Amino acid sequence: GAGVSQSPSNKVTEKGKDVELRCDPISGHTALYWYRQSLGQGLEFLIYFQGNSAPDKSGLPSDRFSAERTGGSVSTLTIQRTQQEDSAVYLCASSLAGGLDTQYFGPGTRLTVL
Amino acid sequence: RKEVEQDPGPFNVPEGATVAFNCTYSNSASQSFFWYRQDCRKEPKLLMSVYSSGNEDGRFTAQLNRASQYISLLIRDSKLSDSATYLCVVNHGGSNYKLTFGKGTLLTVNP
């Protein structure tokens, strides 16, 4: 079946611009995660959505970052006024029921801020 | 001390070799442990969970030592296709959903 998909696969933007990254989780998966992977660094947790519960936003690095999940499915990660240090691969994952269920990752969006 | 630490490598081994990766974690409240594999410029994929009694999946064996807060992965009879980065993953501070990833250990298996 279809896995997690993300778009765009690559995004180049200028410093100060806003960007939106999209994630389509596996159909039927109730939990969705966003991570960031900077060059030479481990994956960094950003945000977690589970069903209708309030999301865990504790990993968002600043108030320039926000995320939504509409209808319990598609999610959008928005970065406002991008900075060069935001350059990274942004990975989305979904799992069937949250908790420590296996997380299936999408291919990521490579963001480059010039 | 970082929450999850791994030897970054790189490990370069010939086909057929046995190679072992080690990982330490700092939070004694962590209860769940995993190894993920990440191919170059690809997304991470779960390789195997790590259980207290140790577990094996084909050529792969994972071990956990809670007292030392240490996790290992052993790959026997390595194949060219095993070349990847291996990520040690621990549930964050005992969280039941948040994972902390190590930076990974790069393995290259040579013909």
Side-chain angles (χ1 to χ4, degrees):
Chain A
V4 178
S5 61
Q6 293 186 243
S7 61
S9 54
N10 282 284
K11 176 72 177 178
V12 180
T13 191
E14 293 179 347
K15 178 180 170 182
K17 300 284 190 184
D18 297 351
V19 295
E20 280 191 357
L21 312 180
R22 177 187 167 106
C23 172
D24 280 271
I26 293 172
S27 177
H29 279 196
T30 64
L32 187 149
Y33 309 74
W34 282 99
Y35 293 88
R36 176 168 73 173
Q37 188 171 30
S38 303
L39 190 63
Q41 301 298 314
L43 272 74
E44 175 189 9
F45 167 84
L46 296 178
I47 188 168
Y48 167 70
F49 295 92
Q50 169 51 37
N52 295 321
S53 302
D56 177 350
K57 304 180 181 181
S58 60
L60 295 178
S62 78
D63 59 8
R64 297 187 295 104
F65 288 71
S66 62
E68 289 186 345
R69 188 179 186 193
T70 53
S73 181
V74 171
S75 177
T76 302
L77 177 70
T78 301
I79 309 173
Q80 296 178 310
R81 304 181 303 282
T82 51
Q83 304 294 312
Q84 288 183 331
E85 60 263 28
D86 299 335
S87 296
V89 177
Y90 289 81
L91 290 157
C92 174
S94 71
S95 69
L96 185 60
L100 293 171
D101 279 0
T102 300
Q103 296 184 27
Y104 296 88
F105 283 83
T109 294
R110 185 173 298 274
L111 175 66
T112 303
V113 182
L114 302 176
Chain B
R1 183 180 175 184
K2 291 184 179 150
E3 193 155 349
V4 178
E5 288 201 72
Q6 296 182 248
D7 181 342
F11 283 58
N12 287 284
V13 302
E15 267 187 293
T18 296
V19 60
F21 305 134
N22 303 318
C23 168
T24 57
Y25 61 96
S26 61
N27 195 319
S28 59
S30 296
Q31 294 291 323
S32 299
F33 311 92
F34 310 91
W35 284 99
Y36 274 70
R37 170 195 170 126
Q38 187 171 25
D39 291 291
C40 187
R41 299 179 78 87
K42 298 286 189 181
E43 70 273 21
K45 293 183 180 177
L46 178 67
L47 178 65
M48 59 196 302
S49 300
V50 186
Y51 302 117
S52 295
S53 55
N55 48 297
E56 189 173 305
D57 183 1
R59 297 181 294 108
F60 299 83
T61 301
Q63 298 278 354
L64 167 66
N65 183 321
R66 287 187 188 274
S68 303
Q69 295 181 201
Y70 170 95
I71 306 159
S72 66
L73 176 68
L74 184 76
I75 306 176
R76 291 182 300 279
D77 187 24
S78 52
K79 312 291 185 191
L80 296 177
S81 57
D82 294 335
S83 297
T85 296
Y86 290 83
L87 307 174
C88 178
V89 184
V90 173
N91 70 310
H92 175 84
S95 165
N96 69 348
Y97 59 83
K98 192 183 296 185
L99 299 179
T100 298
F101 287 74
K103 292 184 181 181
T105 299
L106 177 61
L107 171 66
T108 301
V109 181
N110 301 302

